């Protein structure tokens, strides 16, 4: 195939770099890494190597430096989250979820999670990992009739009593408000609570969102590249030494990952250090920018979702109902033609995911690139006309 050569590959990469570098990226699940996490931390010899198993107990030779860095990285996150286990081997948040959902003991096989239209992630729902691979029977939390972007906590408590789940999963992908961790823990002292922090990990890390362990969660899964500006990857944190730790860790290795993409590890540790030393106000700026943007959009007449009497959002996300503008698919395409990248998103009342009612906006990358709420608002307003 003479039209597919090295020059072709190089040119497409260069075109994408130039194009995405010139757009305003508002995809809520993406970010760039902190500028300090430069190539030396991410593109290095580790990207060619294997190291199965735990640090200092590998199945490969040649691992003394990744042993050192991986154990320091685990120690750093254990210290930060005051927890017993920090496993940095999941290569994504979805893999972290797979390890936890398959590694937790199976009783009656039932779990309760947030539904897809109310914001739950695909891995939490029956067409995804939790049922398709882990064989769990999924029940969904009810939503609050006055604000369907929030959980109906009394209804959730009744559902837990009725279903007696093996565990519940809090946290979601369309994520505007804190989850009722404390309320559920108070009612169910023995219930295993998994908190999927993929979207809000950087906000929790920066102390700008709820603190799941302090409120009663047992396990946090997350990805390390959304509001946490690190390399693409995942993490599992477990609060205390519990009987399920071994099941989860052995589900991960040897159950799921063989190699865990070693070059992520120095970059992850570097991102955590950069957050703690150079970007201590990053989480605060992200949350403030999303709040301000949601107010500007609402004042300009856009249908901003999630208002709870105080705020539209407590996270990096702003969600718009764009049914009257043609629906989420049409509006997201229109924005892309104007150089703004967002994703269409199902809203709680949607039945179809093809042209759902909403778009989801995340400001975390824009904040890192120096944008303020007004500037994002002006660009959106012009592009949405
Ligand atoms: N599906 C991604 C999102 O929330 O955009 C995360 O895996």
């Amino acid at each position: 195939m003479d039209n597919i050569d090295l020059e072709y590959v190089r040119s497409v990469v260069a075109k994408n770099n130039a194009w995405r570098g010139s757009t305003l990226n508002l995809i809520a699940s993406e970010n760039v890494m902190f500028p300090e996490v430069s190539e030396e931390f991410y593109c290095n010899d580790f990207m060619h190597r294997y190291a199965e198993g735990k640090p200092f107990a590998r199945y490969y030779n040649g691992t003394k430096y990744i042993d050192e860095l991986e154990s320091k990285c685990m120690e750093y996150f254990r210290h930060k989250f005051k927890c017993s286990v920090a496993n940095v081997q999941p290569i994504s948040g979805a893999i972290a979820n797979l390890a936890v959902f398959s590694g937790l003991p199976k009783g009656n096989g039932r779990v309760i999670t947030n539904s897809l239209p109310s914001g739950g992630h695909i891995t939490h729902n029956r067409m995804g990992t939790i049922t398709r691979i882990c064989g769990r029977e999924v029940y969904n939390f009810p939503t609050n009739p006055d604000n369907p972007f929030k959980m109906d906590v009394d209804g959730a408590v009744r559902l837990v009593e009725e279903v007696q789940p093996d565990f519940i999963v809090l946290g979601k992908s369309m994520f505007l408000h804190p989850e009722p961790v404390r309320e559920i823990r108070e009612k169910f002292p023995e219930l295993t609570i998994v908190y999927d922090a993929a979207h809000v990990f950087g906000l929790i890390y920066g102390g700008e969102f709820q603190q799941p362990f302090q409120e009663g969660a047992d396990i946090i899964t997350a990805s390390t590249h959304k509001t946490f500006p690190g390399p693409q990857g995942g993490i599992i944190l477990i609060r205390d030494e519990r009987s399920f730790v071994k099941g989860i860790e052995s589900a991960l290795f040897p159950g799921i990952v063989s190699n865990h993409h070693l070059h992520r590890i120095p970059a992850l540790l570097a991102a955590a250090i950069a957050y703690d030393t150079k970007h201590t106000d990053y989480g605060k700026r992200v949350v403030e920018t999303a709040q301000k943007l949601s107010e500007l959009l609402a004042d300009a007449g856009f249908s901003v979702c999630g208002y709870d009497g105080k705020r539209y959002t407590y996270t990096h996300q702003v969600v718009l109902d764009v049914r009257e503008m043609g629906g989420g698919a049409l509006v997201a395409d229109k924005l892309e033609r104007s150089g703004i990248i967002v994703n269409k998103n199902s809203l709680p009342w949607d039945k179809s995911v093809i042209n759902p009612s909403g778009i989801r906006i995340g400001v975390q990358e824009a904040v890192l690139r120096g944008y303020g709420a007004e500037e994002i608002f002006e660009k959106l307003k012009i592009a949405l006309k």
Side-chain angles (χ1 to χ4, degrees), residues 31-34 37 224-233 267-268 271-272:
N31 210 335
V32 289
M33 295 194 284
F34 280 133
V37 191
T224 53
H225 52 267
K226 294 181 169 62
T227 50
F228 187 86
Q232 289 207 338
L268 177 59

Side-chain angles (χ1 to χ4, degrees), residues 121-132:
H121 189 245
I122 198 160
T123 54
H124 308 171
N125 279 284
R126 54 183 66 86
M127 78 280 281
T129 321
I130 202 160
T131 301
R132 188 176 285 211

Side-chain angles (χ1 to χ4, degrees), residues 27-29 94 121-122 173-174 198-199 223 226 317 343 345 360:
I27 298 279
S29 53
H121 189 245
I122 198 160
S173 286
M174 179 175 62
H199 269 270
S223 44
K226 294 181 169 62
Q317 294 187 12
N343 63 271
N345 218 93
R360 185 186 64 169

Side-chain angles (χ1 to χ4, degrees), residues 16 19-30 331-344 359-366 376 379-380 383:
N16 183 65
W19 178 52
R20 291 306 296 265
S22 72
T23 58
L24 172 59
N25 187 47
L26 299 175
I27 298 279
S29 53
E30 297 176 356
V331 170
D333 286 349
K334 180 176 169 172
L335 286 172
E336 182 175 322
R337 288 194 292 277
S338 301
I340 300 176
I341 314 292
V342 302
N343 63 271
K344 60 178 178 284
I359 58 168
R360 185 186 64 169
I361 293 167
V363 301
Q364 68 292 341
E365 180 173 335
I376 301 170
K379 283 183 180 290
L380 278 169

Side-chain angles (χ1 to χ4, degrees), residues 72-83:
K72 290 284 181 218
C73 191
M74 292 156 67
E75 186 185 332
Y76 201 95
F77 278 94
R78 280 199 307 267
H79 178 75
K80 182 79 186 180
F81 284 86
K82 299 183 178 53
C83 63

Side-chain angles (χ1 to χ4, degrees), residues 127-142:
M127 78 280 281
T129 321
I130 202 160
T131 301
R132 188 176 285 211
I133 302 178
C134 307
R136 310 272 184 180
E137 187 184 353
V138 174
Y139 294 74
N140 286 138
F141 289 114

